[in-house]
Amino acid sequence: MSDLFGELREKFRAQILRLEAGDPPVITLKREGFLEVVKFLKEQGYNHLIDLCGVDYLNFKPEKKEERFEVVYHLYSIERRELIRLKVPIPESDCWQYSLTPFWKTANWFERECYDMFGIKFKGHPDLRRILMPDDWVGYPLRKDYPLELDEEREWKVYKELKERARSS
Amino acid sequence: MGLSLVEVNSKQRGASSFDEPFYINMGPQHPSTHGVLRLFLELDGETIINCDPKIGYLHRGVEKLAETLNYNQTIVLSDRLDYIASCANNTAFCLAFEKLFGLQVPRRARILRTIVNEMARISSHLLWLATHALDIGAMTVFLYCFRDREWLLNIFEKICGARLTHSYVRVGGVRQDFTLEIIEDLYKFTEVFPERVLEYETLIDVNRIWLERTKNIAVVSAEEAISLGLTGPVLRGSGVPYDVRKFRPYDAYDEVEFEVPIGKNGDVYDRYRVRMEELRQSNKIIRQCLEKLSETEGEPVLPENAPDLLIPERVREPEPKPHPKKGFIFTGKEVPVVPPGEAFASIESPKGELAVYVVSDGTNKPWRLRIRTPSFVHISALPELAKGHMIADLIAIIGTLDVVLGDSDR
């Protein structure tokens, strides 16, 4: 693992924000040049993309985060049996990230879900639409400023119509 | 189009393909889609050109809901993901939380967890075999499988009082110890079960219809399978021996001996063979664990510092002015008992790799709980697998992926 860190430090000094050894090791990366690092890691044998998800750090108390969002990747090397975690901070004002669909087909749906829940757009994604929520849904449910229960005004249009129809009949 | 039916028929007769594709919806109420899965199909005759799965009909917002509950309460939510094997979900959640809290699980609890996990695997695989065979047309297997699944569910009922939504695995251990009666029942089960597996195999292994409908259908190469994110028996059917139980052992899996069966061609038939062999291996694991149980007689199954006891019980009191919706509020302080940080745990659930990533901010509720479910990924691979096959084969492909929509929609 330390060889990998050394190599990463040497090759991608400009892209790496932080390297943390641990279980699993965490690599925090800048968005710019992110794809090159992933390409390098894939060549090193990290061929299984276990998971890709967004995290919203709005008003996160223990630690002051510079950017509101983070996209977290878990990569696994089946040959070397090693797991690593990549993190890419995404600013709220410029909410997009590079898509991993050229490397892994499974990134397609993970990224669609991340977009659906957090509103993070993925550049280079072939088919970025909502996946779990209906197409005409307003807002991004897993953001921290999205309430658990919507008030009646902001309810989903279709649901409102259904309720009205049920009341009138 | 202005053509009468006769004209359309005569125009298409003899032509190798239709002039324009037509579109149909399969589901969400189709019995062979195993839940509320809707497939939007683009067809050329009976051949699938394109397939667009639409999910979300069972989306309950488990990840959002979990952010408002404390760690122990989320276990109950996990039951409702893959409701065929809820013990596996419980275990994935608990492993992630234990890593976060830095908890050590007593050995007896680890063995008990392994047993219920393997029981869940057997009952899930039995349900899979039953419905998969039924979809393809073999009715008898369905009845045989349900006979044995019923037996397992009865044992589950004795263990924790529930047949499907167990919530048996808890943060730090398990809810309660096995009684002698349960251990005897399990011994009986493990003795009989290998014969039963043979029985299912004799029912369909040499059946010509079964072979023709499963061989060379939905072939995935090893490389393709990894790129598609396939895990579990589906990946192993393509010849990749990736099994989380072996690669990153959790619970008592490093203490037991078992083999990881793999396939060769990566078709529906190979995946069937892999799952059948897994039934035998699971039975072997349960047997070994039962013998280990006698070594750890009398040990606790929940450590004393389990967070059940640490998180102060909050008192439930009526609000001064009852809210029309709620009526009650929780009072009492939220004491920080959980260190801030993050943890990741993944297990080999019956359907594939189930991973949980949890971020804590130091309060007793998770800041973010991410669940990577195998069914979600497997459905995303469906368009790739289905392309170029007939509609009838699509049923076999959905069956071989073994998806549960509660698992994929969360």
Side-chain angles (χ1 to χ4, degrees), chain B residues 299-321:
Chain B
E299 279 181 28
V301 291
L302 204 64
E304 274 185 13
N305 58 349
D308 244 335
L309 314 170
L310 273 178
I311 294 174
E313 232 172 67
R314 292 186 290 164
V315 194
R316 213 170 184 215
E317 285 174 4
E319 259 180 281
K321 268 188 205 161

Side-chain angles (χ1 to χ4, degrees), chain A residues 47-48 50-51 53-54 56 58 62 74 78 85 87 105-106 109 113 129 131 141 143-144 146, chain B residues 52 55 59 63-64 67 224 226-228 242 247-248 342 344 353 361 367-368 370 372 380 410:
Chain A
N47 55 353
H48 176 33
I50 297 183
D51 194 16
C53 70
D56 182 0
L58 182 72
H74 285 94
I78 293 179
R85 181 183 300 151
K87 287 180 171 184
K105 285 178 188 167
T106 177
W109 275 34
E113 195 197 345
R129 359 174 220 138
I131 184 163
R143 287 191 175 188
K144 284 287 172 183
Y146 191 94
Chain B
D52 183 16
I55 60 167
H59 178 60
E63 291 178 8
K64 181 85 177 170
E67 289 171 10
E224 177 90 357
I226 293 173
S227 169
L228 284 169
Y242 175 57
F247 279 58
R248 274 165 285 153
E342 50 196 19
F344 174 85
E353 184 168 4
D361 66 336
W367 178 263
R368 170 92 169 100
R370 157 76 186 170
R372 183 256 199 223
S380 80
R410 282 154 291 160

Side-chain angles (χ1 to χ4, degrees), chain B residues 51-99:
Chain B
C51 159
D52 183 16
K54 310 230 182 237
I55 60 167
Y57 289 91
L58 217 55
H59 178 60
R60 292 145 297 176
V62 167
E63 291 178 8
K64 181 85 177 170
L65 209 51
E67 289 171 10
T68 64
L69 300 171
N70 77 33
Y71 287 92
N72 287 313
Q73 288 167 330
T74 58
I75 307 292
V76 183
L77 291 180
S78 78
D79 279 339
R80 274 83 184 163
L81 296 173
D82 176 3
Y83 38 77
I84 315 281
S86 46
C87 273
N89 308 331
N90 298 162
T91 313
F93 274 53
C94 292
L95 284 171
F97 298 161
E98 281 149 14
K99 266 189 197 168

Side-chain angles (χ1 to χ4, degrees), chain B residues 270-306:
Chain B
D270 273 20
R271 295 190 273 270
Y272 151 73
R273 293 275 1 134
V274 166
R275 288 202 177 95
M276 293 310 273
E277 193 50 43
E278 274 189 15
L279 285 176
R280 292 203 179 85
Q281 296 298 332
S282 292
N283 193 61
K284 217 168 105 184
I285 296 174
I286 295 179
R287 192 70 195 215
Q288 290 175 45
C289 286
L290 285 175
E291 269 145 33
K292 283 181 200 300
L293 270 187
S294 55
E295 297 167 17
T296 55
E297 199 82 51
E299 279 181 28
V301 291
L302 204 64
E304 274 185 13
N305 58 349

Side-chain angles (χ1 to χ4, degrees), chain B residues 232-270:
Chain B
V234 186
L235 179 64
R236 291 194 284 276
S238 296
V240 184
Y242 175 57
D243 188 322
V244 184
R245 291 174 294 174
K246 284 276 190 206
F247 279 58
R248 274 165 285 153
Y250 51 95
D251 289 346
Y253 283 110
D254 47 355
E255 292 180 36
V256 290
E257 275 172 34
F258 65 101
E259 281 160 29
V260 179
I262 54 169
K264 224 198 287 175
N265 305 322
D267 57 2
V268 176
Y269 181 77
D270 273 20

